[in-house]
Amino acid sequence: YTFFPGTPIWPANRRDLTYGFLPANGLTDEVKAVFTRAFEKWSAVTPLTFTQTDSFSSADIKIAFYSGDHGDGEPFDGVLGTLAHAFSPTNGRFHLDQDENWVVSGDVTRSDLPSSVDLESVAVHEIGHLLGLGHSSVEDAIMYPTISARTKKVELATDDIEGIQLLYGSNPNYNGSTTTSNTQERETNDGEA
Amino acid sequence: RFFPNITAIPPWHLPNTTSIAPWDAFTKFAGCQSGEVRDGLSKLKQYFSNFGYIPNSPSNFSDKFDDELEKALKTYQQNFNLNVTGQLDDKTLQQIVRPRCGNADIVNGTNSMNSGKSSSFHTTGHFHTTAH
C-alpha cells in the first residue's frame, strides 16, 4: 500500500461520509447499488460509514460519469485505456469513463463482450483513493493500478486492509475474516489466470 | 453503457466493439532499442508522463528511445514486478496496454509503489515504516 504525498485523510469530525450521484447521469437504482456494495467493502474494515444522499452538491463524495474532456485536466479516452479516476481526501470527486461497457451484474468473466469492465471492481479501487490510498504493487490488492477487461476483483486484500487501517483504524466489528485475496480473472488477450 | 446481467444477453444483442483500445498500438514497439527512432514513440512517453514516470511534460516529446524513456521503463517495471530491463519486452508491453486507473502511480515525483517499505507516520519522534 501507499499513501498520497502528505498522507491526506478525512478528518476525525468527518468520518460519516455521504455520497451522491450526478443527476444528469440518470443512474438506475441497480447501478447505484453497485457503489453501495463497493463502499461496504471499506466500511467493513474501518470506522468509516457511507450514506447515499440525493443532494449531489452537498455530498462528501461526488460520483459522476463523464466522456472525454470533462474539465479537470484528466480527459477520458473512450473504450478501455483509462477507466476512472478519483481525488485524494477531502476533495471527494469520483469520475468514471462514460464510454466504457460497464457490467453491473452477472458474471463478467463470462461476458461475450471483450471490452466489458466490472463496475464494482473499479468502484472499490477508486474509493480507496477517495479515502487516501495510492497505488500498490501487490497484484492481488484492490489498489493495484490495472485491471483487465472481463475481470472481477472486489475483495480487499491484506495489503489494502493494512493500509486503510493505518489511516483510520479498524472497525470495532472487524475480526479479520473479510480478508480474502480471491481474484477471478479471465484475461482477454493472453489467457493468463 | 450499462449492462445488467451481461451473461443473460444474447451475443447478437451486444454492440459491435471492434475499436482498438487507446494503448494497443504500443505493442508495435516490441523490441525497440535505446537510441532508435520510431514513429509514435512520443505517445508512449506521454503515457509515462501521464502516470508520473516522466516528471516533466513537454508539449512535444520526441520519437527517440532516449535515456528518459529507459529510466521511466525501469521504474515502471519495478513497480509492476517485472524484470527490470529498461527494454520494451513483451511482458512489459502487455502490462502497459491493460486498462487501468487514471490516477498516477508516481505523484509529485514520489514513488513508493514498490519500495519494499511503505512510509506511514511520524508518531513519537521517530520514523515508522511498515514492511509489506
Side-chain angles (χ1 to χ4, degrees):
Chain A
Y1 54 85
T2 66
F3 306 131
F4 289 101
T7 321
I9 61 171
W10 292 88
N13 62 348
R14 292 181 75 187
R15 297 289 166 91
D16 298 312
L17 302 171
T18 58
Y19 61 95
F21 300 94
L22 183 68
N25 288 149
L27 302 179
T28 64
D29 288 344
E30 187 178 19
V31 174
K32 292 177 181 176
V34 173
F35 291 91
T36 302
R37 290 199 299 272
F39 280 114
E40 285 170 353
K41 300 292 182 188
W42 295 100
S43 61
V45 300
T46 65
L48 299 166
T49 67
F50 304 97
T51 306
Q52 186 179 325
T53 175
D54 291 332
S55 175
F56 180 74
S57 60
S58 66
D60 296 305
I61 294 170
K62 297 176 171 63
I63 302 169
F65 287 82
Y66 293 114
S67 183
D69 188 352
H70 51 281
D72 63 2
E74 303 291 338
F76 286 127
D77 51 10
V79 176
L80 299 180
T82 299
L83 305 174
H85 55 236
F87 291 71
S88 59
T90 54
N91 182 294
R93 281 182 292 173
F94 176 178
H95 298 165
L96 301 102
D97 191 342
Q98 194 166 305
D99 292 333
E100 304 298 344
N101 294 305
W102 295 109
V103 173
V104 176
S105 65
D107 186 355
V108 70
T109 65
R110 294 177 54 213
S111 169
D112 288 311
L113 191 59
S115 56
S116 302
V117 178
D118 184 63
L119 179 59
E120 186 177 346
S121 301
V122 174
V124 177
H125 175 98
E126 299 303 331
I127 293 167
H129 288 316
L130 292 163
L131 301 181
L133 291 179
H135 283 150
S136 170
S137 59
V138 176
E139 195 165 356
D140 280 340
I142 285 291
M143 296 314 296
Y144 193 69
T146 63
I147 183 166
S148 297
R150 293 192 289 191
T151 299
K152 191 172 185 73
K153 181 170 151 184
V154 296
E155 302 298 339
L156 302 184
T158 302
D159 183 70
D160 304 304
I161 295 171
E162 286 179 353
I164 203 67
Q165 290 185 340
L166 264 176
L167 295 179
Y168 298 102
S170 176
N171 185 319
N173 297 321
Y174 173 67
N175 60 12
S177 63
T178 61
T179 306
T180 61
S181 59
N182 55 325
T183 305
Q184 304 168 34
E185 289 198 6
R186 175 177 164 185
E187 303 291 343
T188 52
N189 296 323
D190 51 18
E192 287 177 2
Chain B
R1 303 169 188 148
F2 296 106
F3 294 94
N5 198 7
I6 195 163
T7 47
I9 301 172
W12 56 87
H13 280 186
L14 294 171
N16 182 14
T17 54
T18 53
S19 58
I20 296 173
W23 303 321
D24 282 358
F26 293 155
T27 55
K28 72 182 179 185
F29 299 130
C32 182
Q33 299 284 324
S34 180
E36 274 188 62
V37 176
R38 288 275 194 98
D39 189 31
L41 209 53
S42 59
K43 291 181 180 173
L44 181 60
K45 290 181 182 177
Q46 187 63 56
Y47 172 100
F48 281 122
S49 173
N50 289 345
F51 297 115
Y53 291 91
I54 295 179
N56 300 317
S57 183
S59 55
N60 52 344
F61 285 108
S62 75
D63 283 332
K64 184 179 181 183
F65 192 134
D66 52 19
D67 292 345
E68 193 171 47
L69 177 59
E70 185 174 350
K71 185 180 174 189
L73 267 168
K74 285 180 176 175
T75 307
Y76 182 89
Q77 289 164 334
Q78 182 185 355
N79 281 352
F80 286 86
N81 307 305
L82 299 159
N83 289 335
V84 181
T85 61
Q87 295 179 3
L88 286 164
D89 52 69
D90 289 340
K91 286 199 170 178
T92 301
L93 285 165
Q94 283 172 18
Q95 183 65 44
I96 287 171
V97 302
R98 281 187 177 159
R100 59 164 290 156
C101 171
N103 285 38
D105 300 334
I106 300 171
V107 182
N108 296 338
T110 303
N111 180 30
S112 51
M113 251 184 84
N114 208 357
S115 58
K117 291 176 186 287
S118 175
S119 61
S120 52
F121 296 114
H122 288 281
T123 51
T124 55
H126 64 278
F127 191 65
H128 171 71
T129 57
T130 306
H132 273 218

